[in-house]
């Protein structure tokens, strides 16, 4: 089997950028939840190389994060992989089946919806394991987490997924164009026809501003 060194180079670069995104950019939202843009980088990689590449990048970055900057251990690692894969793998899979602008948008929307559903379930199951206070039973902690699924976790993941989708649409073309100029990416690898016309840019910027305001509301600053 021929080793695609250019592909491995790009995936390594994207993985490094994703880790830097986690290390440098953390925007608090509500309780212990915070936003970091690594899933944008995973989605861009997934659009170029497919969902399996997303899974590999997510696992590698989450493991590195676990042993370096994370305080949630293996539980946080698992949650990070679940969140990233449910969003970016889904978007990449849909786009792989329909390589058009519409396919990219639909994939990102479906990815956001699936991520929200999956994270509601796994936050209910796993979050009580590291939120449990001394003297509390696991059932009491789970009841508290369950009461926060709709006011905390669902809005946060909706805002997170929307920001990631908008940033992916804005950044995909510049990133792939730069990789092609560096002769790391062939034109056939990247065919999302994202035309950065003024209308699309304005809509995406409006979405991003709305989501930033939503994060400020979650923080209690508005």
């Amino acid at each position: 089997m021929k080793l695609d060194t250019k592909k491995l180079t790009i995936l390594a670069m994207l993985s490094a950028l994703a880790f830097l995104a986690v290390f440098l950019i953390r925007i608090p939202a509500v309780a212990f939840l915070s936003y970091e843009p690594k899933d944008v980088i995973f989605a861009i990689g997934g659009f170029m190389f497919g969902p399996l590449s997303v899974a590999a990048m997510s696992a590698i970055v989450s493991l590195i994060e676990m042993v370096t900057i994370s305080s949630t251990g293996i539980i946080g690692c698992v949650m990070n992989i679940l969140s990233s894969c449910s969003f970016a793998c889904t978007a990449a899979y849909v786009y792989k089946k329909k390589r058009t602008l519409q396919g990219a948008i639909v994939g990102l929307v479906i990815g956001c919806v699936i991520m929200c559903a999956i994270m509601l379930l796994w936050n209910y199951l796993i979050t009580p394991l590291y939120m449990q206070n001394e003297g509390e039973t696991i059932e009491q902690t789970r009841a508290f987490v369950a009461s926060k699924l709709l006011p905390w976790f669902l809005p946060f993941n909706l805002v997170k997924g929307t920001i990631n989708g908008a940033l992916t649409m804005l950044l995909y073309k510049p990133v792939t164009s730069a990789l092609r100029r560096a002769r790391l990416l062939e034109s056939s690898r990247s065919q999302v026809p994202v035309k950065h016309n003024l209308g699309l840019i304005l809509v995406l910027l409006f979405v991003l501003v709305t989501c930033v305001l939503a994060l400020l509301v979650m923080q209690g600053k508005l």
Side-chain angles (χ1 to χ4, degrees):
M1 183 174 65
K2 184 179 178 180
L3 187 64
D4 192 336
T5 55
K6 289 185 178 181
K7 176 180 176 180
L8 290 177
T9 299
I10 293 173
L11 291 178
M13 291 169 54
L14 292 176
S15 297
L17 286 173
F19 177 75
L20 284 176
V22 177
F23 182 73
L24 297 174
I25 305 173
R26 281 182 179 267
I27 303 173
V30 59
F32 60 88
L33 299 172
S34 61
Y35 171 78
E36 70 273 339
K38 65 180 177 183
D39 288 353
V40 176
I41 300 168
F42 293 153
I44 290 172
F47 279 0
M48 286 190 282
F49 299 114
L52 290 179
S53 295
V54 174
M57 287 190 294
S58 174
I60 291 169
V61 173
S62 295
L63 286 169
I64 295 173
E65 183 182 349
M66 180 184 71
V67 300
T68 55
I69 60 176
S70 176
S71 61
T72 54
I74 187 64
I75 295 176
C77 178
V78 171
M79 294 292 278
N80 282 332
I81 294 173
L82 287 170
S83 178
S84 295
C85 287
S86 58
F87 172 76
C89 282
T90 302
Y93 177 80
V94 174
Y95 173 66
K96 185 178 180 181
K97 296 296 182 181
K98 188 173 184 180
R99 300 181 70 85
T100 63
L101 175 59
Q102 182 183 9
I105 294 173
V106 170
L108 291 167
V109 171
I110 294 176
C112 179
V113 172
I114 288 180
M115 179 192 68
C116 289
I118 286 177
M119 296 315 293
L120 282 178
L121 172 62
W122 286 97
N123 274 301
Y124 175 77
L125 294 174
I126 294 180
T127 299
L129 298 178
Y130 62 85
M131 276 191 68
Q132 187 177 8
N133 296 318
E134 187 176 351
E136 278 187 344
T137 66
I138 192 66
E139 289 77 15
Q140 290 173 322
T141 309
R142 180 162 284 118
F144 172 77
V145 171
S147 71
K148 301 301 180 184
L149 289 177
L150 296 183
W152 284 4
F153 295 99
L154 180 59
F156 169 75
N157 283 303
L158 281 172
V159 170
K160 174 183 174 181
T162 304
I163 292 175
N164 289 337
L167 286 176
T168 300
M169 294 299 296
L170 282 171
L171 296 176
Y172 183 81
K173 185 176 180 179
V175 169
T176 53
S177 296
L179 290 172
R180 283 196 294 269
R181 286 195 297 270
R183 297 183 180 180
L184 289 174
L185 185 68
E186 299 174 3
S187 297
S188 60
R189 289 286 195 183
S190 164
Q191 296 185 8
V192 180
V194 181
K195 295 182 179 179
H196 278 183
N197 57 59
L198 181 60
L200 177 61
I201 291 174
L202 289 176
V203 169
L204 293 173
L205 289 176
F206 174 77
V207 169
L208 287 173
V209 170
T210 302
C211 290
V212 170
L213 292 174
L215 284 175
L216 292 173
V217 170
M218 291 180 187
Q219 295 173 14
K221 295 181 179 180
L222 288 179

